[in-house]
Amino acid sequence: MSEFIEKRRELSIQEYEFMKHLKLFTDEEIHGIKNKRFQHEHKVERRSKELPDFINYIVYENNVLDLLKERRKKLRVHNGRHNLESCIFNRIRTLYKRAIDRFPGEYRLWTHYLRHCEKHKLETEGSRTLDKMLNYHGDKPKSWITAANWEYKQMNSMDRARHFMFRGLQQHPECRDLYLNFLRLQLQEVDTILDTEEDIAMLMEVESSPLKRALECLKLIYEHYKHKDQDLEFFVQLLDSLKKCEATNSFALVVLGDMKRLFQGKELMWNTLALLELRGSYLLHGTDDEGKKSENTFKENLEACVQIFEEAVQILPTKTMWSYYIDSMLKINEDMSSHQKLRRKALGVAFKKAFENGSLGEDKYVQYLKLLIHTDKPQDALVNGVLEKALDAYPSSVKLWELNLLYLARKQEPSEKFDIVFKQSLIKCGTDVLSLWIARFQYYHTRTDLSERLEQTFKEAIIQSPIVSTHFQPLYLDFLAITEDINAARKQYRQMLRNCCPCLQLHRKMSQLESIQAQPNIDQWRLCHENATQYFGTSETSVWIEYICFEKDVGSPKHMPTVFERAKSRLNGDLVARLITEYELLRNPSA
């Protein structure tokens, strides 16, 4: 092993001399590069070889290349590229070759190398790699897609791309992604031909023209898959790939017609049609659109889109179909740069009709209620009617009960009514009720006339399940320190230690309150850290570090070693190493 490493070091001597001669790196930097390479060489040459060692070495060499490029630009040094960059390129190429030979079953390694070839315009080298890659990874459809796309995009060879696609389909005759990729490549080929030829009409008439052959291949691939498997997602993705083009218009209309005929009973098909209407697709409205849209174009498109959805929910009155309808209307309301009233009205109509048909899912009820509640003047009768129906359909929905409480708070309903609904929500919702307690807290927090009820909320919350209790314990200490004094907070802190479930944030909050006193009580402050380590000292390195920092900065630095030794004896074994590192950094911050 050492012989190979030494030989490579000797071959690199000239490289280092050029770095120094061109003054692209300092002597110290060159020495650092030597050492780093020596370390990487040892790792890739050891008996037990591992892929990450090769990858890390390659990444390092690429970083050197990038740094070299920056230095040349900054110092305006352009000569000697063959002696420097070429050496590094060859080293990277050799590392890739060695890694691929050693780990041919690692697909990511092949794609890594192809990206390297693409980045540095090594198209021929990448092309030679494809056949070897497919020998090992022909069982993966994505490898055939990668190979075909490389040949078409990097080598401009449709014949080779088509060759890989046909071979891939022989091994994976049912793979939708292969068919879609093949069709997209053919569509790109059509676009390329149209961009390079002037007399399109003549090409369409000549049977043997490249354009006619490409279109025929396109239709054959489509027909083959259509008869093999009726997959709606295939049609949806294919339609997304089709651009407005006179040469492919007839093909696009066939695809659209087949989708409508084959998937009349699928919600996704109707959603696709409606979105095509919203975009004003040429597939539905001919080809007379020259890109100049009148002021009412959006209105017409939206009305046509809504009409499709209205037809769809008549044929398929499912929650899924209504969800597609509502989601599309929500999407158009994200952009309010124009036709604000029209957009809001379309969304309101969709929600209202779905509600009246009893076709709203839980998430859609939540969205509808937010829309109704967060208006300037909510309609009480409508909001209450929707809430009642929603809670009948989903009685254990935390989000719906939370909205109910927030609506009562917004209306400033009497506390008696609020608490009745709050208690009902706890009974119905089971365990995940933190948001309901937060809604109650917010209600009393805004009611300055009911401050005693706010403290009562705290007292009830801190004895609940851990998810509720741990949220409110620190808040209660803050509340007492502000409304009374630090002594009231200390007293409650001691009570919570005895009566409530452990909460790390409780100790940190008490420590923070102690720290902001005009004359901090060091003993009381230290007690917070003692309690934190007592409850969490086996699993939390941070409580010990915070304790040590306290002794270092405001307590007694001579106690630091004692706390450190206690921490080592209490912490779980796998955390001790991290503690030692952080402790050493505290003692020697410049290390």
Side-chain angles (χ1 to χ4, degrees):
M1 180 179 80
S2 58
E3 294 176 6
F4 291 118
I5 295 173
E6 192 58 38
K7 184 177 181 181
R8 291 194 187 104
R9 289 183 72 179
E10 290 175 3
L11 291 173
S12 302
I13 291 173
Q14 188 179 11
E15 189 180 337
Y16 300 133
E17 289 176 350
F18 257 89
M19 287 181 180
K20 185 174 182 178
H21 174 71
L22 296 173
K23 298 181 180 180
L24 291 168
F25 296 96
T26 65
D27 290 344
E28 187 178 346
E29 287 173 328
I30 294 170
H31 183 69
I33 293 172
K34 286 181 183 179
N35 287 340
K36 277 288 185 182
R37 282 179 176 166
F38 184 71
Q39 293 169 15
H40 283 300
E41 285 288 348
H42 264 286
K43 289 179 180 178
V44 298
E45 283 293 349
R46 60 189 173 187
R47 188 181 299 276
S48 178
K49 293 178 173 58
E50 296 181 7
L51 179 58
D53 294 331
F54 285 93
I55 296 295
N56 290 336
Y57 195 178
I58 290 166
V59 169
Y60 176 74
E61 290 297 334
N62 275 310
N63 289 339
V64 173
L65 264 181
D66 291 339
L67 182 57
L68 195 55
K69 183 178 178 181
E70 289 178 16
R71 293 287 172 85
R72 284 189 180 279
K73 185 176 179 181
K74 182 179 179 180
L75 301 173
R76 298 181 181 179
V77 176
H78 304 293
N79 58 319
R81 290 182 184 276
H82 177 76
N83 298 81
L84 283 180
E85 278 83 346
S86 294
C87 289
I88 299 174
F89 273 124
N90 289 334
R91 185 177 294 108
I92 293 172
R93 181 175 178 273
T94 301
L95 284 168
Y96 269 121
K97 294 292 185 183
R98 290 173 62 196
I100 286 171
D101 289 342
R102 182 78 180 186
F103 307 100
E106 288 284 351
Y107 178 70
R108 60 180 176 146
L109 184 57
W110 296 91
T111 56
H112 242 264
Y113 186 46
L114 288 172
R115 284 198 297 272
H116 169 76
C117 292
E118 181 179 357
K119 179 180 178 180
H120 298 290
K121 304 188 185 306
L122 306 172
E123 291 89 355
T124 305
E125 178 65 27
S127 189
R128 282 199 297 264
T129 303
L130 298 175
D131 285 310
K132 295 178 184 178
M133 178 185 75
L134 293 169
N135 286 337
Y136 289 99
H137 299 285
D139 60 322
K140 300 179 180 67
K142 60 184 178 182
S143 64
W144 295 100
I145 292 172
T146 298
N149 289 347
W150 177 275
E151 288 298 334
Y152 186 73
K153 294 173 183 177
Q154 306 300 325
M155 303 299 290
N156 297 318
S157 174
M158 188 61 200
D159 289 338
R160 281 273 290 174
R162 195 179 289 119
H163 165 75
F164 282 130
M165 282 286 89
F166 279 128
R167 283 181 59 193
L169 287 171
Q170 286 175 348
Q171 290 200 34
H172 308 280
E174 310 295 329
C175 181
R176 179 182 71 201
D177 290 340
L178 279 172
Y179 279 98
L180 277 170
N181 193 73
F182 202 171
L183 288 166
R184 286 168 183 154
L185 287 177
Q186 287 297 149
L187 288 167
Q188 289 177 42
E189 179 69 1
V190 170
D191 288 341
T192 301
I193 294 169
L194 294 175
D195 288 342
T196 55
E197 297 289 342
E198 295 181 1
D199 195 345
I200 305 301
M202 185 188 76
L203 284 176
M204 292 295 290
E205 292 175 4
V206 179
E207 287 297 323
S208 60
S209 69
L211 179 60
K212 289 285 281 187
R213 289 202 303 270
L215 290 171
E216 283 301 315
C217 187
L218 186 69
K219 292 171 185 175
L220 284 171
I221 300 163
Y222 168 72
E223 290 295 331
H224 192 268
Y225 185 76
K226 185 183 76 172
H227 293 302
K228 183 179 288 291
D229 189 10
Q230 294 184 358
D231 181 355
L232 176 55
E233 191 63 35
F234 169 80
F235 286 85
V236 173
Q237 291 188 36
L238 180 55
L239 285 171
D240 281 343
S241 302
L242 289 166
K243 295 186 292 185
K244 182 178 174 182
C245 171
E246 185 179 349
T248 57
N249 277 353
S250 60
F251 173 70
L253 291 171
V254 168
V255 174
L256 181 64
D258 287 339
M259 185 185 75
K260 291 165 71 174
R261 176 176 54 82
L262 293 169
F263 302 102
Q264 186 81 3
K266 297 286 186 181
E267 293 93 345
L268 180 58
M269 190 282 293
W270 289 99
N271 183 60
T272 303
L273 278 185
L275 294 181
L276 286 171
E277 285 284 12
L278 187 61
R279 295 197 293 262
S281 173
Y282 72 97
L283 293 173
L284 302 172
H285 299 289
T287 58
D288 57 345
D289 179 10
E290 297 179 355
K292 298 178 182 178
K293 296 185 178 183
S294 60
E295 282 299 313
N296 65 348
T297 298
F298 175 78
K299 180 181 178 181
E300 292 176 349
N301 290 343
L302 179 57
E303 287 173 349
C305 170
V306 168
Q307 188 176 346
I308 291 288
F309 276 123
E310 293 289 347
E311 181 183 354
V313 294
Q314 292 297 318
I315 296 171
L316 295 170
T318 64
K319 287 182 180 179
T320 302
M321 192 68 256
W322 281 103
S323 289
Y324 276 129
Y325 184 2
I326 292 168
D327 285 340
S328 295
M329 298 303 105
L330 285 168
K331 186 71 177 175
I332 67 167
N333 273 266
E334 291 176 4
D335 175 14
M336 299 299 282
S337 57
S338 65
H339 304 88
Q340 292 94 336
K341 289 183 179 179
L342 187 64
R343 294 170 192 265
R344 284 195 291 267
K345 182 180 178 182
L347 177 59
V349 168
F351 266 123
K352 185 179 179 183
K353 288 187 176 181
F355 170 67
E356 291 171 349
N357 280 275
S359 298
L360 287 174
E362 181 186 351
D363 62 324
K364 292 296 175 282
Y365 268 122
V366 171
Q367 290 171 320
Y368 190 24
L369 283 165
K370 286 180 178 178
L371 189 70
L372 296 174
I373 291 171
H374 297 307
T375 56
D376 293 335
K377 295 179 180 179
Q379 300 176 41
D380 286 349
L382 178 56
V383 174
N384 288 327
V386 175
L387 271 170
E388 183 179 352
K389 197 168 180 180
L391 289 170
D392 282 342
Y394 303 98
S396 61
S397 170
V398 175
K399 290 182 179 179
L400 290 173
W401 282 106
E402 181 188 358
L403 284 170
N404 195 351
L405 293 170
L406 293 175
Y407 185 55
L408 293 174
R410 175 169 178 168
K411 290 169 59 183
Q412 294 190 327
E413 293 284 359
S415 60
E416 293 78 13
K417 182 176 180 180
F418 185 92
D419 279 340
I420 288 171
V421 175
F422 174 70
K423 289 174 183 176
Q424 288 177 340
S425 70
L426 294 182
I427 294 170
K428 296 287 187 180
C429 293
T431 56
D432 188 18
V433 292
L434 175 59
S435 60
L436 304 179
W437 281 93
I438 291 173
R440 186 190 189 197
F441 168 78
Q442 290 172 342
Y443 173 74
Y444 284 117
H445 187 63
T446 57
R447 295 291 298 270
T448 54
D449 56 323
L450 296 171
S451 57
E452 75 284 354
R453 300 298 295 273
L454 178 59
E455 183 164 6
Q456 185 60 34
T457 297
F458 276 125
K459 289 179 177 178
E460 292 176 16
I462 63 175
I463 59 173
Q464 301 300 313
S465 62
I467 192 170
V468 176
S469 176
T470 56
H471 178 82
F472 282 96
Q473 286 176 34
L475 295 177
Y476 191 19
L477 290 184
D478 248 342
F479 172 78
L480 289 172
I482 293 169
T483 58
E484 296 186 42
D485 57 23
I486 189 65
N487 290 320
R490 287 170 182 162
K491 182 180 178 181
Q492 185 58 50
Y493 173 61
R494 291 192 294 270
Q495 288 182 2
M496 284 193 283
L497 288 181
R498 292 193 299 270
N499 303 327
C500 302
C501 59
C503 168
L504 179 54
Q505 290 305 319
L506 173 69
H507 306 295
R508 285 175 171 158
K509 171 54 68 176
M510 195 65 232
S511 174
Q512 187 251 332
L513 292 174
E514 295 288 359
S515 72
I516 61 175
Q517 299 306 304
Q519 292 183 330
N521 185 318
I522 298 301
D523 291 336
Q524 290 290 341
W525 193 350
R526 180 179 287 115
L527 183 61
C528 300
H529 291 293
E530 276 291 338
N531 288 331
T533 57
Q534 180 66 32
Y535 287 100
F536 301 97
T538 59
S539 58
E540 287 282 346
T541 311
S542 59
V543 296
W544 293 104
I545 295 299
E546 288 164 9
Y547 195 173
I548 293 168
C549 286
F550 161 77
E551 296 292 2
K552 178 176 180 284
D553 296 334
V554 295
S556 178
K558 68 181 181 181
H559 292 161
M560 289 172 62
T562 305
V563 177
F564 175 61
E565 292 301 324
R566 286 174 56 198
K568 286 198 295 182
S569 64
R570 288 282 312 283
L571 275 169
N572 293 331
D574 55 337
L575 298 175
V576 173
R578 187 193 308 170
L579 172 80
I580 293 171
T581 302
E582 294 188 36
Y583 180 65
E584 289 301 322
L585 288 172
L586 277 175
R587 291 179 61 207
N588 304 291
S590 61

